């Protein structure tokens, strides 16, 4: 069974990025928990670094994943910038990880498929963020836009389920698991016989 660690940036005393009346810690938690539900529906075991609004140190986030010995690690974030015109999505992997780069590319490709999720494609990048550096498995960190941009903030507020579906699809693609839609039940009209 595939095993994934999901990490949602910030939490508790640390709101992360703030803008347009929104806080990063709240949005990434909501999006991330939905990603987890989709993965679990596809028989993927999910380890969470947090499931509530609590603060967890960066090193501990990586330790949770390492202790669980998961196949991949995905951290969900939202950017912020003093220039409110800065906008767009980007996905990171660690500088020295080819498997992490593939994971980041798989997630980013799914985000790009839905043009309503972003104002600008900032691409896939490499960095030495603590959660990417300290995890022992392929890891990616996705930035779902800029909370400080009014345009991105509107998307972040209204498209949380769509973000979750795209991230989950990217993870499933990376794991070689086919994504299946939930079948919506059709309401049958009841016919009364007299």
């Amino acid at each position: 069974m595939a095993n994934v660690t999901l990490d949602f940036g910030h939490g508790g005393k640390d709101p992360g990025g703030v803008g347009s009346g929104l806080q990063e810690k709240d949005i990434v938690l909501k999006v991330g928990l939905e990603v987890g539900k989709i993965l679990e529906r596809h028989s993927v075991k999910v380890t969470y670094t947090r499931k509530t609004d609590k603060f967890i140190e960066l090193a501990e986030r990586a330790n949770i994943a390492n202790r669980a010995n998961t196949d991949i690690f995905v951290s969900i974030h939202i950017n912020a910038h003093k220039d409110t015109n800065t906008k767009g999505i980007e996905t990171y992997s660690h500088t020295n990880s080819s498997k992490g780069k593939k994971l980041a590319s798989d997630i980013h490709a799914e985000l790009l498929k839905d043009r309503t999720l972003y104002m600008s494609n900032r691409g896939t990048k490499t960095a030495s963020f603590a959660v990417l550096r300290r995890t022992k498995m392929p890891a990616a960190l996705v930035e779902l836009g800029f909370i400080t941009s009014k345009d991105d903030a509107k998307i972040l507020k209204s498209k949380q389920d769509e973000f979750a579906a795209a991230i989950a699809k990217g993870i499933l693609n990376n794991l070689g698991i086919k994504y299946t839609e939930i079948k919506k039940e059709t309401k049958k009209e009841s016919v009364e016989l007299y």
Side-chain angles (χ1 to χ4, degrees), residues 62-134:
N63 290 341
I64 290 167
N66 292 337
R67 283 193 299 266
N69 198 26
T70 56
D71 300 311
I72 59 176
F73 173 93
V74 176
S75 189
I76 303 171
H77 288 258
I78 297 168
N79 256 323
H81 200 282
K82 60 180 180 264
D83 178 356
T84 57
N85 292 315
T86 305
K87 57 185 86 164
I89 56 170
E90 57 194 13
T91 310
Y92 288 87
S93 60
H94 189 265
T95 315
N96 302 325
S97 174
S98 58
K99 287 183 178 177
K101 187 173 186 177
K102 172 83 168 76
L103 174 61
S105 294
D106 288 343
I107 293 169
H108 200 76
E110 286 299 327
L111 288 165
L112 292 181
K113 284 182 182 177
D114 185 345
R115 285 282 302 136
T116 68
L117 294 182
Y118 59 98
M119 301 297 292
S120 174
N121 171 19
R122 296 170 61 87
T124 55
K125 302 178 178 184
T126 59
S128 188
F129 298 137
V131 291
L132 299 179
R133 189 176 64 248
R134 292 171 178 253

Side-chain angles (χ1 to χ4, degrees), residues 8-9 24-32 50 76-78:
F8 318 134
E24 177 180 2
K25 67 173 186 172
D26 299 329
I27 295 171
V28 297
L29 179 63
K30 188 168 183 291
V31 169
R50 69 180 180 100
I76 303 171
H77 288 258
I78 297 168

